[in-house]
Amino acid sequence: MTTKQVTPEDYKRIFEEMPGGPQVLEELTRRFGRAAYVPGGPEGDRETCYRAGQRSVLDFILGQINKADGVNDDVEA
C-alpha cells in the first residue's frame, strides 16, 4: 500500500472546508495558541518550553493552511 504525501491543501481542506474543521481549529488555537513565555525561574522555564512545544504544532498547522492559501509568512532576518 502506497501512502499519499500530505500536502498543505490537505490541511486547508480538513481545517477550513470539512464540517467541524473550523471549530476544531478554533479549539486548538484557544488551547495552544496562548503566549509561550512564563516568568519564574526554572519552573517558569519548564512551563515556557512546554507551551512552546504545544504552540509549535499549532504554528505548523496554520503555516500549512497559509501555504495552501498562497501566503508565505516565513520571515528572514
Side-chain angles (χ1 to χ4, degrees):
M1 183 169 108
T2 305
T3 303
K4 176 192 174 289
Q5 183 69 28
V6 177
T7 67
E9 289 75 19
D10 293 324
Y11 285 88
K12 177 180 174 64
R13 184 174 51 259
I14 290 168
F15 289 108
E16 290 188 344
E17 299 170 4
M18 291 187 75
Q23 291 83 4
V24 170
L25 184 58
E26 184 179 318
E27 173 71 11
L28 291 172
T29 301
R30 195 170 35 253
R31 283 183 177 260
F32 305 116
R34 61 188 173 180
Y37 177 73
V38 176
E43 284 300 314
D45 288 345
R46 281 193 279 278
E47 182 65 19
T48 296
C49 290
Y50 180 74
R51 287 185 183 187
Q54 290 180 322
R55 175 139 191 147
S56 70
V57 175
L58 177 62
D59 289 344
F60 177 80
I61 292 169
L62 295 173
Q64 292 298 307
I65 294 169
N66 284 341
K67 282 183 188 175
D69 287 335
V71 175
N72 183 1
D73 60 358
D74 292 338
V75 177
E76 293 187 24

